[in-house]
Each structure stands twice: as structure tokens, then as C-alpha cells.
Amino acid sequence: MIEIVYKEEKKEARGNESFFQIPRNIRQIGEAKGNRRIYLEDYAYTFLRRQEDENRERGSAGILLGQHNWLDGAAYLFIRSAMVIGGMEVSPEHVSFTERIWEQVHETTEQYFKGQEILGWFLNLPEFSMEINEVILRAHLNHFGGNDKVLFLMEPTEKEEAFFTYDSGRLKRESGFYVYYEKNDAMQGYMIDGNANQSVEEPGPGKDRAVADFRRRVGEKQEERKKEQRGRHSAFYGLTASVAAATLILALSYTEAGERIGAFFNRITGRESVTEPDPASVSAAGDSILAVTETPELEKPSGETPAPGEEPIETPEPGTPSVTPAAETSSAPQASVREYTVKKGDTLSKICREHYGDLGRLDEICSLNQLDPDAVIYPGQKIVLPQS
């Protein structure tokens, strides 16, 4: 039974976390009941389903990672990531976690899932009866002991899957779990790198229709948000252009008035003959000057011999533009960025990780390019990256 459930709830955990958030959008698989709540993120679930499709003839195994909380006797497991163990031979009669395998797990965790804790493991066993045998139980107890660790068992032929938890000396099958949705750059990057840049969004055979529908709705909402952002940017640029235009008009008005006043001033001081200005403009300018100035102290006309000890005054030709010394000019600092051409399979998070080692500068890249962190980018597209 699959049911779409919507809830938003914040729980206070006593012991290992101050608060933890119950995901808002979740799907229920089977009947989730009892004192254990298992939440499996959609990207991790997609990866596990692919393990079923790609390993129908042979077994495979891997590690589940995420976060564990508990409250009032109930355990909450949030499985955010899953990694496959390469080169491990798995069968119902043979499951072995060697030292080399644990080194591989540690290296992959440090590269992709740093900060997440191991919550258990998964087994993909073709034509298996889904009954836990002694080999599987011993492997679980030796490497994943404790009530907070789980086993996710899959049988690809019949598409059967279930979580198992340790209880009273045996691995007990859980009746159901939840699939939830969140931004999961870590798992997305791991899937892209491990699948030769194949899309992690495209539903494969057997992909739940509800998952595809949900992803489509999320995409539509993201597109709506982008349109709203573009609208806000257009309004901002329009306002900026209006302010600039008004400033320019005001500056030109002051320049024109200054030229008229200068022409009138030269006229009354006898400096030079000027073209007759508009009478109304001269009258208005003259009234303004005479209203605030008594007999002005005039400069000596050009060509007049200066008094002893005085420096000759150079009168510039009318209309000669003023020159600012080069030392006084400055230009706005340019942002230290470089251009990057998007390649097939690139995402913003993958580009950030490849160029800077982690996702610490993802927000800066998104801000420079006015993109959401989960925006779709295309091969050949030009974006800018901050200098290292």
C-alpha cells in the first residue's frame, strides 16, 4: 500500500539532539508502525532501486548513512545516503566485511558524506526468500550491532524489499517505512560520479509514478520561483534606469543654467563679446546673481599686466573642458571571476565540488549567475565562477 502523506512537525529529542525536523512531504510504503520510524530520502531510494535493476544476476551490498534521533522510546532514523561496496562478492552463504572494505567505506564517506553516521547496510540478493539466515544475522551483529542499525534487504526478481531491525535475538522485518524529499547534493553528486554522468532524475523501469509526479511538481514550483525572481530583477533594473535618467536630466539642467549665468557674467564684466542669450534666461539669471551678490570682486581680464608679486592668471577659453589629473581618476574594482563552459552531466554542486573541493562556495556561484542551487544547467551554457 502506497499513500501520500503531508505533515510538518518538529520533535524535541532528549539525549542526542536538541531538535529535529520531521520531513514535510513524505510517501508511506507499507504500514509504518511500532516504536521505530524509518525515513529514506528519495535520491537514496532511487539509488537502491537502481541496484536492483543493475544486479539481477548477482548480489551486491552497501552502506546506509544519515542521522539517528530518538524521543519518548521511539527511534527516528533519517537515511540520507547509500553507497555500494565495489568488488564485494555477496551471496546468501557468504557476506564478509574485510578491513579493505571498511577502508573503502571510510574514503567514500570522507569524499561524499562527511558528517553522516552509519545507520546500517543493504543487501541485494537475487532469488532470495527474504528469510534471514545465520550468515546474514552474524554479519549484522558483527558490524552493525545495536537497536539503531537497520538492514535493507532487496530481492530484484520479484521486486521485494523490506527493512529489518534487531530485536530479541533476531532480525525482525519492519512493516513499512517512509520516503521523504529534500535537497540532497551529497547523494546527487555521488550518483552522477558513479553513473558516468547519467541523469539521476529520469525515471527508470519500475520507477514509482508518484515519485515522477512529485519531481514534476517540484520542478514547476522552482520555475515559478525563477519567474518571480526575474520579475523582481526587471523591476529593480527599471527603477535604477529611471533614477539614472532623472539624475542625468537634472545634471544637464544645471549645466545649461550654469552656461547662461556664465555668459551673463562675462557680458557685464566686459570680458568678451558673447552671443546674445535668451532675454528671459538672462533676466532670470541676472536677478538671481544681483539678489545674492553685491559689487563682485572681478578677476583681471586676460592680457592685463599683473601687479608686482602676483602670478599671471590664465583664463581658459570658453567651452574648454576641464581635465582631471590621471591620479585623481579611479575605476570600480572588477569582481575576480572566470568563465566556465558547462559540460555534459554538470550540476552546480558538482562544478563547485570539482573546482573548490566542497560545497562551501555553492551559494556564491548561484549568486553570481542568478541561479537556484538545484537549477538545471545545459552543456555549452556559459557561467562564471569565483577565482579560487
Side-chain angles (χ1 to χ4, degrees):
M1 182 180 80
I2 298 178
E3 179 183 357
I4 301 296
V5 182
Y6 297 96
K7 63 166 75 175
E8 184 174 15
E9 187 178 358
K10 185 178 284 187
K11 297 287 188 182
E12 180 180 2
R14 306 182 186 97
N16 61 342
E17 296 283 344
S18 57
F19 287 96
F20 63 95
Q21 187 77 36
I22 299 296
R24 179 178 180 181
N25 296 305
I26 60 178
R27 290 190 303 127
Q28 182 173 315
I29 309 295
E31 273 188 68
K33 57 184 180 180
N35 62 351
R36 187 173 283 104
R37 304 285 187 271
I38 301 173
Y39 294 86
L40 178 60
E41 206 283 320
D42 179 55
Y43 275 119
Y45 189 38
T46 299
F47 176 78
L48 293 171
R49 298 287 292 273
R50 282 188 176 180
Q51 290 302 305
E52 286 185 301
D53 292 334
E54 296 171 2
N55 295 279
R56 292 176 175 274
E57 305 298 329
R58 59 185 178 86
S60 62
I63 305 297
L64 304 175
L65 304 101
Q67 175 185 345
H68 167 252
N69 299 86
W70 58 275
L71 171 67
D72 295 335
Y76 293 81
L77 280 77
F78 301 95
I79 301 171
R80 291 193 170 92
S81 308
M83 74 171 79
V84 68
I85 300 174
M88 181 177 180
E89 295 184 5
V90 177
S91 70
E93 296 77 28
H94 179 77
V95 179
S96 176
F97 287 86
T98 64
E99 184 175 344
R100 182 190 63 80
I101 286 174
W102 282 114
E103 289 176 357
Q104 176 185 338
V105 170
H106 175 73
E107 290 173 0
T108 305
T109 302
E110 285 296 306
Q111 181 178 358
Y112 293 99
F113 311 118
K114 197 168 185 176
Q116 298 186 34
E117 59 179 302
I118 294 178
L119 298 183
W121 59 311
F122 73 83
L123 267 177
N124 177 56
L125 295 174
E127 300 182 1
F128 187 62
S129 63
M130 298 293 288
E131 294 293 332
I132 302 299
N133 61 25
E134 186 65 26
V135 172
I136 297 174
L137 176 61
R138 186 167 57 250
H140 186 88
L141 293 178
N142 287 342
H143 301 285
F144 307 96
N147 295 329
D148 59 342
K149 301 294 189 292
V150 298
L151 165 64
F152 188 63
L153 186 58
M154 301 177 292
E155 197 291 300
T157 307
E158 299 296 331
K159 290 290 184 182
E160 194 170 358
E161 59 193 28
F163 277 100
F164 290 80
T165 55
Y166 185 75
D167 185 24
S168 303
R170 66 187 182 92
L171 282 173
K172 172 187 171 185
R173 181 170 180 161
E174 295 290 326
S175 57
F177 59 96
Y178 300 99
V179 176
Y180 73 102
Y181 306 85
E182 72 173 10
K183 181 181 175 183
N184 196 345
D185 288 332
M187 192 65 208
Q188 185 179 10
Y190 174 74
M191 292 173 70
I192 290 174
D193 291 349
N195 285 272
N197 292 330
Q198 295 179 15
S199 170
V200 298
E201 294 286 353
E202 182 179 356
K207 178 77 173 178
D208 285 324
R209 189 171 183 177
V211 176
D213 290 343
F214 181 86
R215 289 295 185 196
R216 176 180 53 78
R217 290 197 300 271
V218 170
E220 291 172 352
K221 290 181 180 178
Q222 291 174 348
E223 189 61 31
E224 290 175 2
R225 287 199 298 270
K226 290 177 184 177
K227 289 181 180 178
E228 291 176 359
Q229 290 176 352
R230 286 196 292 267
R232 288 196 294 270
H233 291 156
S234 298
F236 174 76
Y237 293 145
L239 178 60
T240 304
S242 299
V243 171
T247 304
L248 179 60
I249 292 171
L250 186 60
L252 291 174
S253 299
Y254 277 117
T255 301
E256 185 179 354
E259 290 176 352
R260 291 176 177 172
I261 293 173
F264 176 75
F265 185 76
N266 290 335
R267 173 74 177 225
I268 64 174
T269 59
R271 279 194 170 187
E272 61 182 343
S273 173
V274 296
T275 304
E276 188 69 19
D278 179 72
S281 301
V282 173
S283 176
D287 290 344
S288 300
I289 293 173
L290 295 177
V292 297
T293 310
E294 296 183 2
T295 305
E297 184 178 345
L298 303 178
E299 294 178 354
K300 294 179 175 58
S302 60
E304 186 175 325
T305 305
E310 288 184 355
E311 293 293 330
I313 299 174
E314 246 182 69
T315 305
E317 289 296 323
T320 302
S322 61
V323 179
T324 304
E328 296 179 19
T329 61
S330 63
S331 59
Q334 297 296 320
S336 183
V337 298
R338 55 193 170 90
E339 187 176 77
Y340 176 79
T341 303
V342 176
K343 301 189 295 294
K344 181 180 179 181
D346 274 349
T347 64
L348 292 176
S349 58
K350 181 182 177 184
I351 292 170
C352 183
R353 188 183 292 107
E354 286 181 349
H355 288 264
Y356 307 102
D358 54 33
L359 299 176
R361 304 189 75 173
L362 181 59
D363 289 341
E364 187 177 352
I365 294 173
C366 294
S367 177
L368 284 172
N369 295 278
Q370 296 183 358
L371 294 171
D372 289 337
D374 51 357
V376 177
I377 54 179
Y378 305 93
Q381 181 177 347
K382 303 287 187 182
I383 63 174
V384 294
L385 302 177
Q387 292 287 4
S388 302

